[in-house]
Amino acid sequence: MGYSVTDTRPVFEGRAFKVRIDSVRAPDGRVRPIEVVEHVGAVTLVAVEGDGSLYLVRQYRQPTREDLLELPAGTLGAGEDPDECARRECREEIGLAPAALERLGGFFMAPGYSTEYIHVYLATGLTPAPLPANEDEDLHVERLTLAQIDALIRSGELHDSKTLAALYLYRLARGL
């Protein structure tokens, strides 16, 4: 495409992400600033019981100022393999360990301004094996059927993008 970065300037470094401004030269020679949120990446889990029901978590999200219903998910630790992160997050968020993990795909969360890439996993063969939740999380686990989830999507109550995208990948993989 002919785009090149001519300069990068760090702007902010926080606990969860960094922000930088890249100077980008377009093919026509113009240089423009692009704000970029650097994120290490994350995983989200479609955790399915033998009866086909799925686990979701409800939690307060300050940026939206509401409780959101979401699939279990979490940020990769420094140098952490996405498979290991998925196993850990499943235990932290819903208290269950998967006997099997299957990678369903992945996606960029908001490629217009962020580097965050989310790996999507199917978790099955779930058995109790809780790990302590993160201190900054107050999660409420809900177990729902696909029909219940569909109704929540149609009503607009379930509107977390990573959850919607991961459910789409799950349905494609399983022909649902």
Side-chain angles (χ1 to χ4, degrees), residues 39-45 57 59 61 70-77 80 82 85-86 88-90 92-93 116-119 121 134 137 139 162:
H39 190 281
V40 296
V43 301
T44 193
L45 297 145
V57 293
Q59 64 181 315
R61 295 295 199 173
E70 310 171 30
L71 288 172
T75 301
L76 293 165
E80 186 176 29
C85 181
R88 175 180 53 77
E89 288 294 339
C90 198
E92 286 178 4
E93 297 219 343
E116 183 177 9
Y117 186 85
I118 297 184
H119 305 266
Y121 289 89
N134 293 333
E137 291 181 324
L139 304 174
K162 76 179 170 311

Side-chain angles (χ1 to χ4, degrees), residues 52-126:
S53 60
L54 282 70
Y55 287 94
L56 288 90
V57 293
R58 191 176 295 276
Q59 64 181 315
Y60 179 74
R61 295 295 199 173
Q62 177 56 34
T64 66
R65 296 184 183 204
E66 64 180 277
D67 292 324
L68 292 183
L69 189 60
E70 310 171 30
L71 288 172
T75 301
L76 293 165
E80 186 176 29
D81 178 74
D83 290 10
E84 289 307 310
C85 181
R87 290 183 188 286
R88 175 180 53 77
E89 288 294 339
C90 198
R91 294 178 64 200
E92 286 178 4
E93 297 219 343
I94 62 171
L96 300 169
L101 273 181
E102 177 186 338
R103 190 167 189 284
L104 298 176
F107 53 87
F108 285 100
M109 192 65 177
Y113 64 85
S114 176
T115 63
E116 183 177 9
Y117 186 85
I118 297 184
H119 305 266
V120 180
Y121 289 89
L122 172 63
T124 56
L126 303 168

Side-chain angles (χ1 to χ4, degrees), residues 103-163:
R103 190 167 189 284
L104 298 176
F107 53 87
F108 285 100
M109 192 65 177
Y113 64 85
S114 176
T115 63
E116 183 177 9
Y117 186 85
I118 297 184
H119 305 266
V120 180
Y121 289 89
L122 172 63
T124 56
L126 303 168
T127 57
L131 285 175
N134 293 333
E135 287 181 13
D136 62 346
E137 291 181 324
D138 182 19
L139 304 174
H140 303 277
V141 178
E142 298 185 24
R143 187 170 160 183
L144 303 169
T145 66
L146 276 176
Q148 290 170 313
I149 291 168
D150 288 345
L152 292 170
I153 292 170
R154 278 193 293 280
S155 73
E157 184 179 341
L158 199 161
H159 52 117
D160 170 62
S161 63
K162 76 179 170 311
T163 297

